[in-house]
Amino acid sequence: MGSLADLARQSPELNDQATLQGISDIVAKLAPLLQGKRLHNVVDLLSAVSDVVDMADDAMVQKMMKGYEEVVAGAWNLSNITRHSAAEAGRVETPPTLWQGIREFNRNEDARRGLLVAMNLLSSVGRQARIAGEPITED
C-alpha cells in the first residue's frame, strides 16, 4: 500500500481541493458509525441485498411477480366489492330487521355462499389462534 502522496499522484482527482473537502466531510459523518461499529450493519445489509440479487433467477422473479399480482388483484376486488356493497346498502331506505335479513339468506344463494366464506375465514383464524395458544412441545 502506497503513501497518500503516491495515491494523489495516481489519481489527479485527489489533488482537487473540492474533492478533498468532500472526502473530509464524508469521513466526519462516518466517524461515529465507524467508532460505534454501526457501519458494519450497513455493510451486512448491502451484502444481504447483494445475495438476494445473485439468487434472483427468472423463476424466482416470475413467482414473486405472480404473488404480487394476486395480492393486488385481491385488494382491488375486495375494494370494488366493498364499494359496491356500501352503495347498495346506502340505497335502501330502511335497513331490514334481523328476521328479514335471515329470510334473505334463505332466498339468496350468493348471500349464503358469502356467509360460508366468512365462516370458513373465521374458522381458519380460530384454528390458528388455538394452535398459537398451545404449549410448544420440546424436542
Side-chain angles (χ1 to χ4, degrees):
M1 178 137 180
S3 69
L4 192 56
D6 292 336
L7 189 59
R9 277 192 292 276
Q10 292 173 1
S11 179
E13 294 85 11
L14 290 178
N15 289 324
D16 182 37
Q17 188 58 35
T19 301
L20 292 175
Q21 183 59 42
I23 291 172
S24 175
D25 291 345
I26 288 175
V27 169
K29 288 185 183 267
L30 288 176
L33 295 174
L34 290 167
Q35 293 164 0
K37 296 190 178 188
R38 294 185 335 205
L39 190 62
H40 293 58
N41 297 336
V42 174
V43 173
D44 290 343
L45 178 64
L46 289 174
S47 177
V49 169
S50 176
D51 290 345
V52 170
V53 169
D54 287 344
M55 290 186 321
D57 61 350
D58 188 49
M60 180 179 171
V61 171
Q62 293 298 324
K63 189 174 184 179
M64 288 175 56
M65 289 306 298
K66 184 175 190 256
Y68 171 77
E69 288 173 3
E70 288 174 355
V71 166
V72 168
W76 180 269
N77 285 334
L78 186 60
S79 172
N80 284 340
I81 289 168
T82 304
R83 191 172 26 257
H84 176 71
S85 298
E88 280 191 0
R91 281 192 283 266
V92 174
E93 283 188 33
T94 338
T97 65
L98 176 62
W99 298 115
Q100 290 169 333
I102 291 172
R103 275 197 298 270
E104 182 61 28
F105 274 117
N106 286 330
R107 288 190 296 258
N108 189 335
E109 182 180 335
D110 289 336
R112 289 194 314 270
R113 195 172 310 279
L115 182 61
L116 181 61
V117 168
M119 287 173 30
N120 287 339
L121 176 70
L122 290 173
S123 174
S124 296
V125 170
R127 185 178 317 108
Q128 291 298 320
R130 179 177 42 84
I131 290 170
E134 291 177 355
I136 298 174
T137 58
E138 302 215 10
D139 292 330

